[in-house]
Amino acid sequence: MFIKQIIIQGFKSYKEQTVIEPFSPKHNVIVGRNGSGKSNFFAAIRFVLSDAYTQMGREERQALLHEGSGSAVMSAYVEIIFDNSDERFPTGKDELILRRTIGLKKDEYSLDRKNATKADVMNLLESAGFSRSNPYYIVPQGRVTTLTNMKDAERLNLLKEVAGTQVYEARRTESLKIMTDTNNKRAKIDELLDYIKERLGELEEEKEELRSYQDKDRERRCLEYTIYHREQVEIANALDNIDEQRQTGVDETDDNRERFIAGEKELGEAEAQISETKQEIGIFLVDKRQLEDERKDAARARAKIELEVKSLSDGQSAAQQLRARYDQESQAVQDAIREREQELEEILPKYDVKKNEEITVKAQLDDTEALRQRLYAKQGRNSQFRNKKERDAWLKQEIDEVYSALATRKAIRLQTNEEISELEGEIQAMDAGVIEIRAKLDGRGDEMQSMSEQVQAAKDERERLLDQRKELWREEAKLDSVVTHAQQELDRADRTLSHTMDQNTSRGLAAVRRIKRQHNLEGVHGTLAELLEVDERYRTAIEVTAGNSLFHYVVDNDETATKVLEILQKEKSGRVTFMPLNRLKPRAADVPKANDAVPMIEKIHYDQKYEKALQQVFGKTIICPNLAIAAQYARSHGVNAITPEGDRSDKKGALTGGFHDPRQSRLEAVRNVSKWRADYDAHKQRVIKVRRELEQKDQEITHAVGELQKIEQKRHQLEARYGPLHHDLRSKVGTLQNKKDQLLAKQHSKENVEASLKALGEQQGSYEADLSSDFKKALSADEERQLQSATSTVQDLRKQYSELSTSRSELEGRKSGLEVELRENLRQRLDQLKGQEIENTRGKSGSALKGSQRELKRINQTVETVGKKLQLVEVSIDEANGQLAKLEHSKAERQGQQEEIAKAIERYQRRMEKSMEKKALLKDRAAECSRNIRDLGVLPEEAFERFEKTNSNTVIKRLHKVNESLKKYSHVNKKAFEQYNNFTKQRDTLNNRREELGSSQSSIEELIEVLDQRKDEAIERTFKQVSREFADTFEKLVPAGRGRLIIQRKTDRNLEDDEDDSEEERRESVENYTGVGISVSFNSKQDEQQRIQQLSGGQKSLCALALVFAIQQCDPAPFYLFDEIDANLDAQYRTAVANMLKSISENSENGQFICTTFRSEMVMVADKCYGVAYSNKTSSIDVVKREEAREFVEGQKP
């Protein structure tokens, strides 16, 4: 085992975490300047492994923490990692990590990262070979000097310490102390035995006098027992009589109580019916008031509508006369129009036929005339030209001109066609517009009728919504009355419930309900009373069992309870006890299984998720038919038992009971509060809903009124629109006629252009035919015949055309006259008559009268309906008042009966109170008798029969006589027998104890002798071993010299004691040892040796080191720490010491050395070198090469 690695942080000069590279298992050397932290490194190891840093104060702890610039160090630790491959530490691991952490207020050890005590650490170290008796495996600075200057006596003490004599001395001191205590105890025992012997002699004399006293006292106790027993019998008989009377009265009182409870229930029902009846009367009165107001409003509206109907009826007569006149004239104009249109329809076909014939004849005439003209022109051209060439030239010129004319005519025809098409489109659109306007004018009545129907429908919708709003107003008024009544009843029920609990609890429960609503806490369920349902028969038993637990608040978990409690405490809103379901753990009770013992929990109805809360309060209680059975089960099964009437026997035997007024029932008060709160909340929600519906109805009415106004506005716009339509019609008709005239002119122009085009085409054909024909001076025979035929045909066609043109002109004149008359006269007059009708009837139509008549009919129906409802309400009020009177009378009668029953119960209660007082006195007397009998102590058997038949007076007289006899024994020691027995037992016990102490003292003396012998043997053995190792070690260090240890005695202080003395002689002389000296020779093994006081400083240090090495060889350690042990040695001795360290580390399993030095001899034999650096008040350690370490130490030489 060896030190593998060390980690330091915050310890003295090592501020930051310093992880030292693993050490060599052999020889390690640490170099560094003075003040760099070498000694602090060794102090860190001692801080963990030795007892040097124990029982430290605050200042001493602070001195171990790093002090420097920067943040303060609050704690420090040193961690040593041991290689445990040889399993020297019994941990079963290859490594052991030992850490000690220190702060201003803590000092902790840990083994393998787990906390451990200091005792555990020290025991583990001792098991691995770290001996407390040999602290020289760590040699700090100054220890060698101390050994050098140590006196012979001090050196002897060191030898004893190495020998382990401290253990023997501690045990010997402890044994001597025990022996002293034993002697003291024996002395005290002897004193007590002398006293007991003297006291036993006195008690022998008192025993005889005590026997006479006991005989008299026995007779006295028998007499007193007889008196007390007879008194007990008399008291028991009296108590039985009282119980019998009570039971008889209880039966009678139970009947009265049941009658009283039934009466109270009937009174409650009667009061509830009276309250409901009064509420109904209030609602009927509200209905009556609203219906009367509605009837008055309807009467006023009916009067107003009747005046409007009368006014509209009068205006309707005049309007009908005017309309009849207009209708007559309009009918005449329409008849004339129909006649003219019929005549025009007859003329138009004839006119079209004539016109078509005229056009056909005119076309034939033009064709024939053109043919004739062409022939005449050709005849003239033939005589005009001399040859064909001239003719052809002229024909080509003409053909070109004809082409040009054709193009011009075609362009004109195209433009004319476009204009005709445009005019036809405009005329068609205007015709449609005129037809539309006429249709609008003709359909004016239907449109006005439809608009009036829409207006009436909108008015009906408005009235329907108004009626619905009235119904909602009526319902709201009723609900306000109901809510007010429910609020009053709820307040009354709350006050009643508050009287059953203290004020703080009442305020707390109200605050919890408010907090639940405000914070929406789902886990706040309610009070225990609110979460259970129970039959009325067991209600009293439930209330008595639960007590104030009825108002404990059940919540889902303790987090919810904590949240609510914090708010309650913050608001200071009372006091509440919570029952978190997750914390409740009710225990199962030993409930009897019998017909006359019913578990109370079975008579309670509740939700299963609240079972823990119910079991906590009611799980250990049973219901029994009477108190006797209840008391029996309470004693036998350790449960609480109660009767349905509330009489209770708990498991400790206490009985409680009495009358419980059902009018003050907590459960009933909770039920009333819950009932009225539910009614209030339901009606309140209905009020909110009705008010929302009213808001919705107001919006619907506003929307309906807006729609009505829009429709009326449309109707007014429609009425005002017909005048402009007439003006628009006249304008459109005039424009349409102009367009038709323009179209007719364009059509004539088109016909002319077509004719011109046709003529030019034929002329062009003629020119082209001439161009292709031969040149002749005269016409051909065919041409001549064509010319003659054309001349005769032209004459016939002209005559025919003239006749057709005359007929067509006549028909056209008649047609134009009819069209002008229809357009300019008749139709304008008809439109004028319609416009006048609109102007005269605008705002005075019969629709207003019809609407008013419908409104009047509706109001009459409303008045009739309201009157019927009012009659029904009045009948209901009368019936309710009659019912209320009956209920009041019935209530008064029942109250009288209840008063009589209450008086009877009160009388019995007073009688029972007197009986209970008498019973209590009798029980006190019985208890006193029992106490007196118990005070008599254990009675002889004759006490129960000796005076059983003796007269009571005789017993009393005899008791008086016995008491007088006992007075002369007043000075007797009544405990003489007991004291004699006690002292005898004490004497025997003390004798046994004295013998044990004597045996113990002998054992202790033997132990002290053995300890002294072992201590002497250990000292002799250790001295011999250390002396031998010192001689060997000194010879290795100084090969030319010789050294030895010398024991000094008291008898021969100045003489040397030879090592070869016999063992017996040494044992006898151990107590005479006064010191250990050192005698050495450095030059020769034969020279006279010198004592250490005669040596130089370096020689003294070498001798001290030899002694240290000798002690270590006697008690080897796993490793050794040397701090500058070679500081005072010469070069040759430093080399010898270094070689010895190297030899020990290489040849021994336990040979790890960690040394600090300023000398190169130690560095040259080291397996690994480390350098300590100091910067910014902080030390650090790093591995350095041997050459660097040697150069450093050589550089430190002066």
Side-chain angles (χ1 to χ4, degrees):
M1 184 191 73
F2 60 89
I3 295 178
K4 187 175 182 180
Q5 194 173 21
I6 298 177
I7 301 173
I8 309 174
Q9 179 173 334
F11 186 85
K12 290 193 174 184
S13 60
Y14 294 90
K15 179 181 181 181
E16 304 298 333
Q17 187 184 55
T18 303
V19 181
I20 303 173
E21 186 171 324
F23 290 99
S24 168
K26 295 182 180 180
H27 192 194
N28 303 270
V29 171
I30 300 174
V31 299
R33 292 182 175 85
N34 285 327
S36 62
K38 300 190 302 299
S39 297
N40 290 341
F41 169 74
F42 276 89
I45 299 176
R46 294 174 64 204
F47 169 70
V48 179
L49 299 179
S50 72
D51 294 333
Y53 296 93
T54 57
Q55 305 298 326
M56 293 182 292
R58 182 181 177 88
E59 294 180 356
E60 293 173 320
R61 292 170 182 266
Q62 182 67 48
L64 296 180
L65 302 179
H66 176 80
E67 294 181 356
S69 59
S71 59
V73 175
M74 303 306 295
S75 66
Y77 71 85
V78 178
E79 183 175 285
I80 301 177
I81 302 174
F82 294 95
D83 181 277
N84 192 35
S85 57
D86 57 356
E87 296 185 354
R88 193 159 183 171
F89 288 111
T91 60
K93 298 181 181 180
D94 293 337
E95 285 186 352
L96 175 72
I97 301 174
L98 174 60
R99 173 186 284 197
R100 184 179 181 185
T101 304
I102 193 168
L104 296 180
K105 295 183 179 180
K106 68 176 181 178
D107 188 358
E108 300 173 347
Y109 285 88
S110 68
L111 290 170
D112 290 332
R113 313 298 184 190
K114 296 179 182 179
N115 290 337
T117 63
K118 182 178 179 181
D120 295 336
V121 173
M122 293 304 167
N123 292 334
L124 183 66
L125 292 175
E126 287 191 1
S127 68
F130 294 87
S131 175
R132 292 188 183 183
S133 61
N134 180 13
Y136 285 92
Y137 65 91
I138 300 177
V139 182
Q141 286 186 15
R143 179 65 64 85
V144 174
T145 303
T146 301
L147 286 173
T148 302
N149 300 325
M150 190 176 286
K151 296 180 180 179
D152 293 345
E154 293 174 347
R155 205 171 287 115
L156 176 62
N157 291 333
L158 173 62
L159 190 65
K160 289 181 179 181
E161 182 179 354
V162 173
T165 60
Q166 291 179 350
V167 177
Y168 298 113
E169 290 291 342
R171 294 185 64 182
R172 188 176 190 278
T173 303
E174 183 180 357
S175 299
L176 290 174
K177 182 178 179 182
I178 293 172
M179 190 167 65
T180 302
D181 293 340
T182 302
N183 292 330
N184 294 333
K185 290 178 182 178
R186 288 177 65 185
K188 289 181 180 180
I189 289 172
D190 291 340
E191 292 178 2
L192 288 173
L193 287 173
D194 294 339
Y195 170 76
I196 289 171
K197 183 178 181 181
E198 180 182 356
R199 184 64 181 143
L200 286 173
E202 296 175 356
L203 290 173
E204 283 289 345
E205 298 176 358
E206 295 176 356
K207 284 167 61 177
E208 293 300 326
E209 187 179 11
L210 180 60
R211 287 191 181 94
S212 299
Y213 169 78
Q214 287 178 343
D215 293 337
K216 294 292 183 181
D217 184 67
R218 186 182 302 108
E219 183 178 0
R220 177 189 62 80
R221 288 188 292 134
C222 291
L223 291 170
E224 287 182 353
Y225 170 75
T226 302
I227 294 171
Y228 294 145
H229 178 67
R230 289 176 180 178
E231 187 176 0
Q232 277 185 329
V233 172
E234 293 175 358
I235 292 172
N237 293 332
L239 287 173
D240 292 339
N241 292 332
I242 292 174
D243 289 337
E244 185 178 355
Q245 294 175 1
R246 178 180 179 275
Q247 186 61 39
T248 304
V250 165
D251 295 338
E252 182 181 353
T253 304
D254 288 343
D255 295 338
N256 290 333
R257 186 183 300 171
E258 291 177 359
R259 288 170 55 201
F260 185 81
I261 294 172
E264 287 295 319
K265 185 176 180 181
E266 292 178 3
L267 275 177
E269 294 175 354
E271 288 179 355
Q273 291 178 358
I274 289 172
S275 177
E276 292 177 0
T277 304
K278 288 181 178 179
Q279 183 180 355
E280 290 178 358
I281 292 173
I283 294 173
F284 288 146
L285 290 175
V286 172
D287 271 352
K288 181 180 178 181
R289 186 167 55 254
Q290 289 181 344
L291 290 171
E292 287 177 347
D293 293 340
E294 190 173 346
R295 184 173 63 178
K296 290 177 182 178
D297 293 340
R300 285 195 295 269
R302 181 172 62 181
K304 182 179 180 181
I305 292 297
E306 286 177 348
L307 290 175
E308 290 182 0
V309 169
K310 187 174 180 304
S311 176
L312 289 172
S313 298
D314 294 341
Q316 185 69 17
S317 299
Q320 287 177 354
Q321 293 177 3
L322 182 62
R323 183 174 184 82
R325 186 167 62 252
Y326 281 116
D327 288 343
Q328 184 178 1
E329 186 174 357
S330 177
Q331 186 64 38
V333 173
Q334 288 178 359
D335 292 340
I337 289 173
R338 281 196 295 273
E339 290 178 1
R340 300 300 186 276
E341 288 178 348
Q342 185 177 1
E343 184 178 357
L344 187 60
E345 289 177 359
E346 294 176 356
I347 291 173
L348 282 175
K350 297 179 182 179
Y351 171 74
D352 292 337
V353 171
K354 293 296 183 182
K355 186 176 181 182
N356 291 332
E357 290 179 354
E358 181 181 9
I359 291 172
T360 302
V361 172
K362 181 67 170 61
Q364 293 177 357
L365 179 60
D366 291 340
D367 292 342
T368 306
E369 184 65 29
L371 177 59
R372 191 165 67 98
Q373 290 297 328
R374 287 196 297 277
L375 291 174
Y376 280 134
K378 182 177 180 181
Q379 186 177 8
R381 287 195 299 272
N382 290 335
S383 60
Q384 184 180 356
F385 302 106
R386 293 189 299 272
N387 51 39
K388 182 180 181 185
K389 182 177 180 181
E390 291 179 357
R391 184 198 67 180
D392 291 345
W394 182 81
L395 286 173
K396 290 180 180 178
Q397 183 178 0
E398 289 297 323
I399 289 171
D400 292 339
E401 291 178 359
V402 169
Y403 273 125
S404 177
L406 281 172
T408 302
R409 295 296 186 281
K410 288 180 179 179
I412 293 172
R413 182 180 65 181
L414 183 61
Q415 182 178 359
T416 303
N417 287 334
E418 291 177 356
E419 291 176 353
I420 289 172
S421 298
E422 184 178 353
L423 286 172
E424 286 177 347
E426 292 178 357
I427 291 170
Q428 186 177 359
M430 287 184 176
D431 280 336
V434 169
I435 292 171
E436 183 180 358
I437 292 173
R438 291 186 184 277
K440 288 181 179 180
L441 290 173
D442 294 338
R444 174 183 61 83
D446 296 337
E447 193 170 359
M448 288 298 293
Q449 181 66 28
S450 175
M451 192 60 66
S452 297
E453 291 176 356
Q454 292 181 18
V455 170
Q456 188 60 40
K459 288 182 178 180
D460 293 341
E461 178 66 16
R462 181 191 63 186
E463 295 302 328
R464 183 183 67 80
L465 293 174
L466 289 172
D467 290 341
Q468 292 179 356
R469 185 170 67 178
K470 289 178 182 178
E471 291 295 330
L472 289 174
W473 280 343
R474 190 177 295 112
E475 184 178 0
E476 183 185 19
K478 292 179 182 178
L479 288 173
D480 287 338
S481 175
V482 173
V483 168
T484 302
H485 174 73
Q487 180 66 54
Q488 293 173 354
E489 293 295 333
L490 178 59
D491 293 341
R492 185 180 298 109
D494 274 331
R495 288 193 297 273
T496 303
L497 181 60
S498 298
H499 292 158
T500 64
M501 67 184 82
D502 60 277
Q503 185 179 1
N504 284 334
T505 302
S506 177
R507 289 174 53 242
L509 293 178
V512 171
R513 295 189 187 98
R514 173 175 51 78
I515 292 169
K516 177 183 179 181
R517 291 194 302 269
Q518 290 178 351
H519 298 270
N520 194 24
L521 299 176
E522 297 294 336
V524 181
H525 301 304
T527 62
L528 202 64
E530 295 170 350
L531 301 178
L532 61 86
E533 293 289 339
V534 66
D535 188 78
E536 184 177 355
R537 181 168 180 265
Y538 302 105
R539 189 170 62 194
T540 301
I542 296 295
E543 291 183 10
V544 172
T545 301
N548 290 330
S549 297
L550 284 174
F551 304 116
H552 290 180
Y553 229 100
V554 180
V555 296
D556 56 353
N557 53 52
D558 48 357
E559 293 181 2
T560 303
T562 302
K563 184 184 297 183
V564 179
L565 278 175
E566 289 175 353
I567 300 174
L568 281 176
Q569 292 175 355
K570 183 178 180 182
E571 298 178 353
K572 297 181 179 179
S573 301
R575 182 180 67 249
V576 177
T577 301
F578 290 95
M579 299 181 71
L581 293 176
N582 66 323
R583 290 290 187 181
L584 296 179
K585 296 180 180 179
R587 296 180 180 177
D590 182 17
V591 178
K593 297 180 180 179
N595 295 330
D596 54 357
V598 180
M600 179 173 285
I601 197 71
E602 295 181 1
K603 298 300 180 181
I604 302 174
H605 306 287
Y606 56 90
D607 193 327
Q608 286 300 317
K609 67 180 178 180
Y610 310 129
E611 183 174 5
K612 287 185 178 180
L614 274 298
Q615 286 285 356
Q616 182 75 19
V617 178
F618 304 106
K620 297 181 180 179
T621 304
I622 60 174
I623 301 176
C624 299
N626 55 60
L627 190 58
I629 297 175
Q632 180 181 353
Y633 280 122
R635 288 192 301 269
S636 62
H637 288 77
V639 296
N640 297 323
I642 193 169
T643 65
E645 293 76 21
D647 298 330
R648 183 182 180 188
S649 175
D650 62 17
K651 56 187 177 182
K652 296 181 180 179
L655 301 177
T656 57
F659 174 70
H660 298 278
D661 191 351
R663 294 173 295 182
Q664 297 179 357
S665 172
R666 292 181 171 185
L667 286 176
E668 186 62 24
V670 171
R671 297 296 172 271
N672 287 335
V673 170
S674 300
K675 172 183 175 296
W676 287 112
R677 181 174 287 115
D679 289 347
Y680 174 78
D681 292 341
H683 291 127
K684 192 69 176 176
Q685 291 298 323
R686 180 57 186 164
V687 168
I688 294 172
K689 183 177 180 181
V690 168
R691 287 176 180 169
R692 288 176 181 171
E693 291 178 359
L694 274 172
E695 292 176 359
Q696 183 66 27
K697 277 306 172 207
D698 289 339
Q699 295 176 0
E700 292 178 0
I701 289 172
T702 302
H703 178 72
V705 170
E707 291 295 326
L708 177 60
Q709 291 175 352
K710 289 180 182 179
I711 294 172
E712 288 182 342
Q713 185 177 3
K714 287 182 181 180
R715 186 179 67 179
H716 292 315
Q717 291 176 354
L718 182 62
E719 291 176 351
R721 191 176 62 186
Y722 287 115
L725 280 177
H726 281 288
H727 296 293
D728 192 17
L729 179 61
R730 285 195 292 271
S731 173
K732 285 186 179 295
V733 168
T735 303
L736 179 60
Q737 188 60 40
N738 291 333
K739 292 295 183 181
K740 287 182 178 180
D741 294 340
Q742 291 178 10
L743 179 60
L744 186 60
K746 289 295 182 180
Q747 288 176 346
H748 286 304
S749 175
K750 178 182 177 183
E751 290 175 357
N752 293 332
V753 171
E754 292 286 349
S756 176
L757 284 172
K758 183 177 180 181
L760 287 173
E762 291 176 353
Q763 188 173 5
Q764 180 184 359
S766 176
Y767 283 156
E768 290 176 351
D770 289 345
L771 186 61
S772 60
S773 63
D774 296 332
F775 180 75
K776 294 180 179 181
K777 292 293 188 178
L779 297 172
S780 64
D782 292 335
E783 291 176 342
E784 286 291 340
R785 283 194 300 274
Q786 289 180 357
L787 182 57
Q788 290 179 1
S789 176
T791 300
S792 61
T793 301
V794 165
Q795 290 178 357
D796 293 337
L797 290 173
R798 283 179 178 173
K799 182 179 179 179
Q800 187 178 356
Y801 175 73
S802 176
E803 292 175 354
L804 290 173
S805 179
T806 301
S807 299
R808 191 263 309 159
S809 297
E810 292 177 355
L811 293 173
E812 186 175 3
R814 181 58 182 163
K815 178 179 76 69
S816 299
L818 291 173
E819 290 176 347
V820 170
E821 184 178 4
L822 286 170
R823 184 175 65 252
E824 302 294 338
N825 186 11
L826 295 175
R827 286 180 177 160
Q828 287 185 1
R829 179 57 182 166
L830 181 61
D831 293 338
Q832 185 179 4
L833 290 173
K834 290 182 178 180
Q836 290 175 354
E837 178 185 6
I838 293 171
E839 292 295 332
N840 291 331
T841 58
R842 181 181 302 169
K844 299 179 182 179
S845 63
S847 60
L849 178 61
K850 292 180 181 179
S852 297
Q853 289 174 347
R854 283 196 297 269
E855 182 68 16
L856 179 61
K857 183 178 179 181
R858 187 190 64 79
I859 291 176
N860 287 331
Q861 291 176 350
T862 301
V863 171
E864 183 179 358
T865 303
V866 170
K868 292 180 180 179
K869 289 183 179 179
L870 195 56
Q871 290 177 359
L872 292 175
V873 169
E874 290 175 349
V875 171
S876 299
I877 291 174
D878 294 339
E879 292 177 353
N881 285 326
Q883 181 68 20
L884 181 62
K886 292 179 181 179
L887 290 173
E888 292 285 356
H889 179 69
S890 175
K891 177 184 175 183
E893 291 180 352
R894 173 52 66 181
Q895 285 177 340
Q897 296 174 2
Q898 289 295 101
E899 291 176 0
E900 294 296 329
I901 297 172
K903 289 178 181 179
I905 294 175
E906 186 177 359
R907 287 193 298 270
Y908 172 73
Q909 193 72 23
R910 285 196 294 269
R911 290 198 304 269
M912 287 301 300
E913 289 175 358
K914 293 180 181 179
S915 298
M916 293 304 292
E917 290 175 359
K918 184 178 179 181
K919 183 177 180 180
L921 292 174
L922 291 173
K923 284 186 175 181
D924 291 340
R925 287 177 57 192
E928 185 178 357
C929 290
S930 298
R931 186 165 56 253
N932 291 332
I933 291 175
R934 285 197 302 271
D935 292 341
L936 294 176
V938 180
L939 296 171
E941 294 182 359
E942 60 180 353
F944 303 104
E945 299 177 354
R946 181 176 178 181
F947 303 104
E948 184 177 1
K949 298 180 180 180
T950 307
N951 186 272
S952 297
N953 293 328
T954 304
V955 171
I956 294 173
K957 290 178 181 179
R958 189 165 180 176
L959 176 62
H960 179 72
K961 185 178 179 181
V962 170
N963 286 331
E964 290 295 329
S965 301
L966 286 172
K967 288 181 180 179
K968 66 180 181 180
Y969 295 103
S970 58
H971 64 281
V972 70
N973 183 6
K974 300 179 179 61
K975 297 184 179 179
F977 290 110
E978 182 179 355
Q979 290 176 355
Y980 185 85
N981 293 330
N982 289 337
F983 279 119
T984 303
K985 291 179 181 178
Q986 289 181 13
R987 182 188 62 189
D988 296 339
T989 302
L990 289 174
N991 286 327
N992 293 332
R993 180 62 178 158
R994 192 177 187 282
E995 292 177 359
E996 291 176 359
L997 290 175
S999 174
S1000 176
Q1001 184 176 8
S1002 300
S1003 299
I1004 293 172
E1005 290 174 351
E1006 292 177 0
L1007 177 62
I1008 292 174
E1009 183 179 356
V1010 171
L1011 290 175
D1012 290 341
Q1013 181 181 357
R1014 289 182 180 179
K1015 181 181 73 172
D1016 294 344
E1017 291 176 354
I1019 292 173
E1020 290 291 339
R1021 184 173 59 255
T1022 302
F1023 173 76
K1024 183 177 181 180
Q1025 188 176 2
V1026 172
S1027 179
R1028 184 175 62 253
E1029 293 295 339
F1030 178 79
D1032 293 342
T1033 302
F1034 191 83
E1035 186 176 357
K1036 291 178 182 178
L1037 293 175
V1038 184
R1042 178 173 179 265
R1044 63 173 180 162
L1045 296 179
I1046 302 174
I1047 284 289
Q1048 296 178 350
R1049 300 180 177 86
K1050 294 179 182 178
T1051 56
D1052 190 12
R1053 184 181 301 272
N1054 297 321
L1055 295 177
E1056 296 180 359
D1057 187 9
D1058 198 345
E1059 289 182 0
D1060 298 330
D1061 290 345
S1062 67
E1063 183 178 352
E1064 182 65 25
E1065 292 176 350
R1066 285 197 299 272
R1067 183 179 300 119
E1068 293 176 353
S1069 61
V1070 165
E1071 292 297 329
N1072 293 324
Y1073 290 170
T1074 59
V1076 175
I1078 298 177
S1079 177
V1080 296
S1081 172
F1082 282 86
N1083 298 324
S1084 171
K1085 299 182 181 292
Q1086 306 297 330
D1087 291 346
E1088 182 180 357
Q1089 295 184 344
Q1090 297 176 323
R1091 294 296 180 94
I1092 190 170
Q1093 292 82 359
Q1094 301 170 343
L1095 302 177
S1096 65
Q1099 291 174 339
K1100 289 181 178 179
S1101 298
L1102 185 64
C1103 291
L1105 285 175
L1107 180 58
V1108 169
F1109 288 142
I1111 292 172
Q1112 290 175 349
Q1113 291 298 321
C1114 292
D1115 188 6
F1119 60 88
Y1120 304 97
L1121 305 177
F1122 292 159
D1123 189 3
E1124 298 183 11
I1125 60 173
D1126 57 351
N1128 298 325
L1129 300 179
D1130 296 336
Q1132 59 177 347
Y1133 298 140
R1134 289 199 299 271
T1135 303
V1137 169
N1139 291 331
M1140 175 173 282
L1141 292 181
K1142 181 177 181 182
S1143 174
I1144 294 174
S1145 64
E1146 289 179 350
N1147 298 328
S1148 176
E1149 293 182 357
N1150 299 323
Q1152 185 187 36
F1153 289 89
I1154 301 176
C1155 308
T1156 62
T1157 185
F1158 279 104
R1159 308 299 180 182
S1160 60
E1161 290 81 4
M1162 191 81 73
V1163 174
M1164 296 306 294
V1165 297
D1167 292 312
K1168 205 167 187 179
C1169 298
Y1170 296 84
V1172 180
Y1174 187 76
S1175 175
N1176 295 328
K1177 297 183 179 181
T1178 301
S1179 300
S1180 61
I1181 301 178
D1182 292 313
V1183 175
V1184 297
K1185 295 179 180 179
R1186 182 182 297 172
E1187 291 76 9
E1188 294 177 356
R1190 184 173 59 78
E1191 291 175 0
F1192 171 79
V1193 296
E1194 290 179 353
Q1196 295 295 315
K1197 292 181 180 179

